[in-house]
Amino acid sequence: MILHLQYGFENSNNCDTVGKTLRYYRVHKGYSTRELADKVGVVPATITLYENDKNTIKYKTAVLLADLLEIDRKLLLDDYTTFIDYPCNVLLQEVRENLSLNQSQIAQEIGVAQSAYSVWERATRIPRRQVYEKILQLVKRANIHI
């Protein structure tokens, strides 16, 4: 007599944080933390921090992880990295136009130099996480949903 046991893998419905989502798909794909860390160029402790929601996943790392795990990268993005993924330069232009501001005026509202804002709109650089909250206030004021 052959007995066949099947171990049911829990579904992803309990993945209510980015960390739980990462852990679920890592285990589902059969990667150890070390294997996954090696593939994305971080130390295993970093993967553990991500999975325990102790550290936010940087945008480029989230994209690499999603590609390796063959999942939609939005599952691994927090609010800031979702803003970067939008792409943020298009969103910034849209906000500025909806609020009828020029680059100098919007830069002043955010509290940065006009030259810094200009490179964001040209997609040469991205805004830092520290100014994201100020940008988000303008996004809400412009009545735009990300």
Side-chain angles (χ1 to χ4, degrees), residues 50 74 94:
Y50 292 158
K74 291 179 182 174
E94 198 175 329

Side-chain angles (χ1 to χ4, degrees), residues 60-128:
K60 289 180 182 179
T61 305
V63 172
L64 284 172
L65 287 166
D67 287 346
L68 282 168
L69 299 172
E70 299 174 330
I71 60 173
D72 183 352
R73 67 182 175 209
K74 291 179 182 174
L75 294 171
L76 302 178
L77 302 179
D78 64 3
D79 290 343
Y80 170 72
T81 50
T82 298
F83 162 72
I84 298 302
D85 192 55
Y86 186 76
C88 66
N89 67 311
V90 173
L91 178 64
L92 289 169
Q93 291 171 11
E94 198 175 329
V95 167
R96 184 172 54 78
E97 290 167 4
N98 282 9
L99 297 175
S100 300
L101 299 172
N102 61 38
Q103 285 188 354
S104 182
Q105 292 168 321
I106 199 165
Q108 185 176 13
E109 289 212 26
I110 296 170
V112 298
Q114 188 273 327
S115 58
Y117 180 84
S118 177
V119 296
W120 298 342
E121 272 200 16
R122 290 195 315 263
T124 308
R125 292 198 174 159
I126 57 172
R128 293 184 180 198

Side-chain angles (χ1 to χ4, degrees), residues 18 29 31-32 46 55 61 70 74 86 111-113 119 130 132-133:
V18 170
K29 287 291 186 177
Y31 288 116
S32 69
T46 301
N55 215 347
T61 305
E70 299 174 330
K74 291 179 182 174
Y86 186 76
V112 298
V119 296
Q130 294 87 341
Y132 167 69
E133 288 300 322

